[in-house]
């Protein structure tokens, strides 16, 4: 499965079967987590065959079988939060390529149970496994409402925006704006809970759609 196929086929899934995730897939995720932690200074961790305690209303009406998850943790601060979003998005698409369904959870889990295991500030959780169904595409805003390119819009920019519109966000909101000029791209996100995390998610999806060789982010070091 190509990365673009993963972007198109990934949908949020909240109900999972009790089928154990294949060891090869778990190792692929573990290896990627080790690499991301080393490169970005984070504390992402994978937990397999371990029940995630969700809010009672979620387990009663919306979700089931959440027994595999990734804790998205790192240092305190907005830059770390953005890196968590960026790296979490990386893991979402790798999971999809491995045939695994995912659910990015912003805050409907028991903080008390998992904070001690996180080893750092906890920014969210990715639940994963084999879904009872493949999920459905979410409703997306029109590209004209979330993007603007000064001058003639190149194809890579359009593809990047298309990918960003297919990304999940921690609070299920597409409150971002992507602007571009002379192959320099700026991603801004409306201030609010998880906005830094969401900006990182959008950046990663945009980058995969646009091709990182075609542009640079305005705030890149």
């Amino acid at each position: 499965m190509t990365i673009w196929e993963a972007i198109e086929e990934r949908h949020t899934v909240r109900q999972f079967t009790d089928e154990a995730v294949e060891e090869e897939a778990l190792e692929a995720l573990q290896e990627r987590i080790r690499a991301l932690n080393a490169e970005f200074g984070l504390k992402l961790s994978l937990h397999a065959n371990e029940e995630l305690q969700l809010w009672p209303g979620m387990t009663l009406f919306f979700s089931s079988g959440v027994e595999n998850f990734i804790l998205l943790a790192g240092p305190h601060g907005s830059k770390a939060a953005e890196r968590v979003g960026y790296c979490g998005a990386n893991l979402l698409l790798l999971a999809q390529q491995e045939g695994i369904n995912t659910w990015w959870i912003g805050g409907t889990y028991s903080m008390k149970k998992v904070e001690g295991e996180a080893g750092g500030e906890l920014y969210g959780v990715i639940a994963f496994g084999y879904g009872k169904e493949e999920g459905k595409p979410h409703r997306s805003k029109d590209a004209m409402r979330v993007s603007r390119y000064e001058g003639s819009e190149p194809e890579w920019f359009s593809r990047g925006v298309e990918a960003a519109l297919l990304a999940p966000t921690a609070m299920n909101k597409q409150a971002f704006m992507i602007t571009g000029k002379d192959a320099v791209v700026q991603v801004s996100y409306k201030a609010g809970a998880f906005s830094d995390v969401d900006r990182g998610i959008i950046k990663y999806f945009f980058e995969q759609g646009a091709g990182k060789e075609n542009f640079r982010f305005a705030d890149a070091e």
Side-chain angles (χ1 to χ4, degrees):
M1 181 184 293
T2 67
I3 195 69
W4 187 258
E5 288 171 336
I7 289 171
E8 289 187 310
E9 294 179 19
R10 183 220 61 83
H11 308 304
T12 295
V13 169
R14 296 183 177 87
Q15 296 187 334
F16 301 91
T17 70
D18 58 4
E19 181 182 356
V21 176
E22 293 183 3
E23 286 298 323
E24 287 186 7
L26 289 176
E27 182 52 40
L29 288 170
Q30 281 281 31
E31 185 176 343
R32 184 67 59 84
I33 285 171
R34 287 192 288 268
L36 292 172
N37 281 339
E39 182 177 356
F40 293 93
L42 301 177
K43 296 184 178 180
L44 313 175
S45 60
L46 184 147
H47 301 258
N49 303 312
E50 181 180 337
E51 185 178 3
L52 177 66
Q53 186 176 337
L54 298 167
W55 288 358
M58 295 300 294
T59 54
L60 185 61
F61 298 108
F62 300 109
S63 66
S64 64
V66 181
E67 297 181 351
N68 304 286
F69 55 92
I70 298 169
L71 297 183
L72 304 171
H76 177 74
S78 60
K79 287 186 178 180
E82 184 176 306
R83 292 198 298 271
V84 164
Y86 183 89
C87 294
N90 182 313
L91 293 170
L92 284 181
L93 295 181
L94 173 61
Q96 188 68 38
Q97 289 178 305
E98 293 288 335
I100 300 170
N101 301 109
T102 54
W103 171 22
W104 190 299
I105 310 174
T108 52
Y109 50 86
S110 173
M111 293 286 287
K112 199 172 289 187
K113 180 176 175 62
V114 297
E115 276 185 330
E117 301 178 45
E121 179 155 346
L122 186 61
Y123 293 97
V125 175
I126 296 175
F128 68 92
Y130 300 117
K132 291 183 177 180
E133 56 182 28
E134 290 299 313
K136 299 177 181 178
H138 60 244
R139 294 181 63 184
S140 293
K141 291 184 178 179
D142 186 272
M144 294 289 288
R145 295 176 60 191
V146 299
S147 68
R148 183 178 65 255
Y149 196 90
E150 188 171 326
S152 179
E153 183 173 301
E155 183 178 354
W156 61 260
F157 185 82
S158 302
R159 291 279 284 179
V161 172
E162 185 180 352
L165 285 167
L166 294 174
T169 56
M171 297 301 287
N172 297 318
K173 295 180 180 179
Q174 293 181 322
F176 60 87
M177 173 59 70
I178 302 173
T179 56
K181 178 184 178 182
D182 298 331
V184 178
V185 173
Q186 176 74 50
V187 178
S188 57
Y189 212 97
K190 186 177 180 180
F194 301 103
S195 58
D196 294 315
V197 173
D198 285 342
R199 184 166 56 250
I201 298 171
I202 296 303
K203 278 187 170 184
Y204 189 79
F205 271 72
F206 179 90
E207 184 178 273
Q208 299 311 301
K212 62 190 306 180
E213 70 278 4
N214 292 313
F215 75 100
R216 67 176 177 85
F217 287 119
D219 55 356
E221 297 180 357

